[in-house]
Amino acid sequence: NPHARLVTRNVRKILEQGGGLPLLFPKFELGFGYGEKASENEEEWTQDSMGYTPQIKVGHLLPHVELQVMNYSKQDFFPNLQKIKNRDPNGGVHISSCDLPAQLRIDDPCFVVMLLSGSEGEPPKLVCDAFETVKSECGVHVASVAVVCTDKQPTPTFSSFDLIVNDVERNLSKMVDTDDGPAVIVLRPDGHVESVIPITDFQAQESNLTNIITEFIKQTV
């Protein structure tokens, strides 16, 4: 088919030059979510061409944000990390937040528990303890990720996490409605958000946080 070959050549040329292809239906190509319903105030014909504003919402894919892998990360244990090339002249590793469960998968399907710290401070101890308990007792592969927002290197306190990434512009934190406080995000193996848990709801109740994360994971398995 001459037309198909021409289209293929043109697409390949665009991609080789670092370009991209326009999205025809951005709301559904990027913002797909389980159980999504159109607003009563929206006309049906507008759905195909609606714009897309990234948000972290239960049932939706985690949006793309470019993240820098930080010290104390166990990145060598994860051969499937999709590193973004030519980003850091100093040799730093950058990855996308998209499809983290697949990037952190080793053999079996992987859940991800992610701390959005929302600040430069130390990770809450209750979160570190809860993540370690979930990983050891849940019965499925669970990887832990800490998202920090700082130009400084993380302290050894973060070493209990499998991956520490820097979101210096706080793009991920801006996408979740937790009043700028820390939150835990649970990601299913298919990359969809299973739950968003504001840490302020638990204070020092590590056992409650552990139980809630475990229940969210078990109801998916």
Side-chain angles (χ1 to χ4, degrees), residues 120-139:
E120 298 182 3
E122 299 288 313
K125 185 177 185 301
L126 75 97
V127 174
C128 296
D129 293 343
F131 281 12
E132 286 301 298
T133 302
V134 168
K135 289 165 61 178
S136 63
E137 298 182 1
C138 211

Side-chain angles (χ1 to χ4, degrees), residues 106-123:
I106 299 176
D107 293 314
D108 299 322
C110 173
F111 287 84
V112 171
V113 285
M114 174 189 294
L115 168 65
L116 290 182
S117 65
S119 70
E120 298 182 3
E122 299 288 313

Side-chain angles (χ1 to χ4, degrees), residues 117-190:
S117 65
S119 70
E120 298 182 3
E122 299 288 313
K125 185 177 185 301
L126 75 97
V127 174
C128 296
D129 293 343
F131 281 12
E132 286 301 298
T133 302
V134 168
K135 289 165 61 178
S136 63
E137 298 182 1
C138 211
V140 294
H141 180 202
V142 179
S144 59
V145 177
V147 181
V148 300
C149 308
T150 176
D151 290 326
K152 304 174 184 176
Q153 287 295 333
T155 66
T157 312
F158 284 92
S159 61
S160 62
F161 291 88
D162 293 313
L163 195 68
I164 305 101
V165 290
N166 188 16
D167 177 25
V168 69
E169 300 294 333
R170 301 183 72 255
N171 290 316
L172 280 178
S173 296
K174 294 173 185 175
M175 295 178 191
V176 61
D177 183 17
T178 59
D179 297 324
D180 291 329
V184 168
I185 311 296
V186 180
L187 299 177
R188 295 171 6 188
D190 62 2

Side-chain angles (χ1 to χ4, degrees), residues 1-8:
N1 185 323
H3 178 67
R5 288 195 295 270
L6 176 62
V7 170
T8 300

